[in-house]
Amino acid sequence: MVHDLLESFIVMSVFFISLIIRGDKDEHAVLCNEDETYDLKIADTSNLLLFVPGCKTPDQLPDISASPQLVHAQIWGFSNCYWELRRQRPRLKKLKKLLMENPYDGPAVGMQEEAPGPKYTMDDLLERIQASREEIEAHLQNVHACEIDGFWRILDFDYEMKLLGHVTQLVDSESWSFSKVPLSVCLEELGSLEPKSMIEHCLNCYGRRYSNEDGQVIYALDEDKVCRATAQLLLQNAVKFNLSEFQEVWQQSVPEGMSARLDQLRGLALLDRSSKPETISLLRIEDLPEDTLERFNSLFSLREKWTQDDIEPYIQDLCGEKQTTGALLTKHARSSVQNGVKVYNSRRPIAT
């Protein structure tokens, strides 16, 4: 379907707004402008639609009530259907999948060449991803991607944590406040260890950039982001962790002066308070299906019953305009009360 549409028309201008149909041959077509994505469906109409060149609306015609005139118009074509547009969430899961084909793990050392693999420019991504440019750019920022030699690359997580470790160790050795990390000194001190562009990229990912009274560029490190990344590093190497042991190791692993809290792990880790002892395991929202039904099936296959607090971080992004997680749960789950707590389970059988 997308292939046929792309052959017939790719770019249209309507009221000076660029509209682009996107999708691979095996994907359902979507229509994008600069910042939004719309689902495309054919809708039938009982009214015959005529295509008339130079057609004018009644308010554009001169007042001819005194002497009515018959206007002859040429008809270029007709249709009994039209494209119906519905705002939808951008389909961005494919973006990280493409970038993970060749993650960036640092510059080549000495005579060593970088490992071969596919690389993508912004134009390449616009061709492959069913989302608007602004939505793609925002997601690139969310996954900590950066542009290297004209190609968008996602950093290998271990390399990203190596960069963050350099920064936090420098902050500790210089006794800086986490809210006052000077860019120039970081680049000067760490430039011999890693490319300066990577050090600055790391600061952009884990801090907020601002300028002080002297015009010096300063970063305020985000405690939640640093602690969350540290937790991911610990959790990715184990199927399950004893919760109390994990919290102890986690607090010891984050930079001194930062506080590790469980609410920092929403959408990253799943707690099981019904087990003895209580456990925690890695469950990243980006690893779950994009489709709403598939997402709920996946979640209920992992756990039969969920409290709203537990499941909410994993369905929040599925909410449409003016839709709440409560409305989503009402539609796709069945509620009951277990030991005085409201829980949700699937409305349909889940294949195991």
Side-chain angles (χ1 to χ4, degrees), residues 221-234:
L221 292 183
D222 189 309
E223 180 179 84
D224 290 350
K225 289 182 179 180
V226 174
C227 291
R228 183 182 176 91
T230 306
Q232 181 176 335
L233 186 66
L234 295 172

Side-chain angles (χ1 to χ4, degrees), residues 71-258:
V71 177
H72 293 275
Q74 182 183 13
I75 298 175
W76 280 7
F78 66 91
S79 177
N80 290 312
C81 60
Y82 62 95
W83 290 106
E84 185 177 73
L85 304 182
R86 181 176 298 176
R87 178 78 185 278
Q88 73 161 34
R89 291 177 289 107
R91 299 169 185 173
L92 293 164
K93 188 178 180 70
K94 185 177 177 181
L95 174 57
K96 186 172 182 180
K97 181 180 179 181
L98 291 176
L99 297 182
M100 286 301 294
E101 293 173 354
N102 186 19
Y104 181 78
D105 58 1
V109 179
M111 300 298 292
Q112 181 183 0
E113 294 185 2
E114 184 182 350
K119 299 177 185 178
Y120 300 94
T121 64
M122 176 57 76
D123 287 341
D124 295 331
L125 295 176
L126 288 170
E127 285 289 326
R128 302 289 300 276
I129 307 301
Q130 292 186 290
S132 69
R133 175 182 281 272
E134 285 193 17
E135 289 166 333
I136 290 175
E137 289 174 346
H139 196 62
L140 286 169
Q141 184 174 351
N142 289 340
V143 299
H144 296 176
C146 61
E147 194 172 14
I148 302 174
D149 298 329
F151 297 97
W152 281 95
R153 309 288 299 278
I154 194 167
L155 270 59
D156 176 83
F157 185 65
D158 288 339
Y159 178 63
E160 184 175 318
M161 292 305 295
K162 179 182 177 183
L163 294 171
L164 181 59
H166 287 322
V167 171
T168 55
Q169 287 170 19
L170 180 62
V171 170
D172 180 62
S173 65
E174 297 289 340
S175 300
W176 290 333
S177 164
F178 289 122
S179 61
K180 296 179 181 179
V181 181
L183 173 62
S184 59
V185 181
C186 286
L187 298 182
E188 182 180 348
E189 293 293 326
L190 302 176
S192 60
L193 301 175
E194 299 292 344
K196 292 183 178 181
S197 59
M198 290 295 100
I199 299 298
E200 186 170 359
H201 175 68
C202 178
L203 287 167
N204 284 326
C205 292
Y206 291 96
R208 177 179 58 83
R209 183 185 181 115
Y210 68 97
S211 297
N212 62 12
E213 298 83 354
D214 301 325
Q216 186 181 21
V217 177
I218 304 294
Y219 281 88
L221 292 183
D222 189 309
E223 180 179 84
D224 290 350
K225 289 182 179 180
V226 174
C227 291
R228 183 182 176 91
T230 306
Q232 181 176 335
L233 186 66
L234 295 172
L235 290 170
Q236 69 180 7
N237 296 317
V239 177
K240 282 188 178 181
F241 241 114
N242 178 298
L243 180 58
S244 61
E245 292 178 359
F246 168 77
Q247 287 181 281
E248 183 179 349
V249 173
W250 183 27
Q251 183 59 60
Q252 292 172 354
S253 302
V254 301
E256 187 176 354
M258 287 191 174

Side-chain angles (χ1 to χ4, degrees), residues 8-23:
S8 57
F9 55 97
I10 296 296
V11 180
M12 301 176 290
S13 271
V14 180
F15 303 114
F16 305 105
I17 298 176
S18 177
L19 302 176
I20 305 174
I21 294 175
R22 292 200 170 110

Side-chain angles (χ1 to χ4, degrees), residues 55-61:
C55 182
K56 295 183 179 180
T57 58
D59 60 310
Q60 294 174 319
L61 295 171

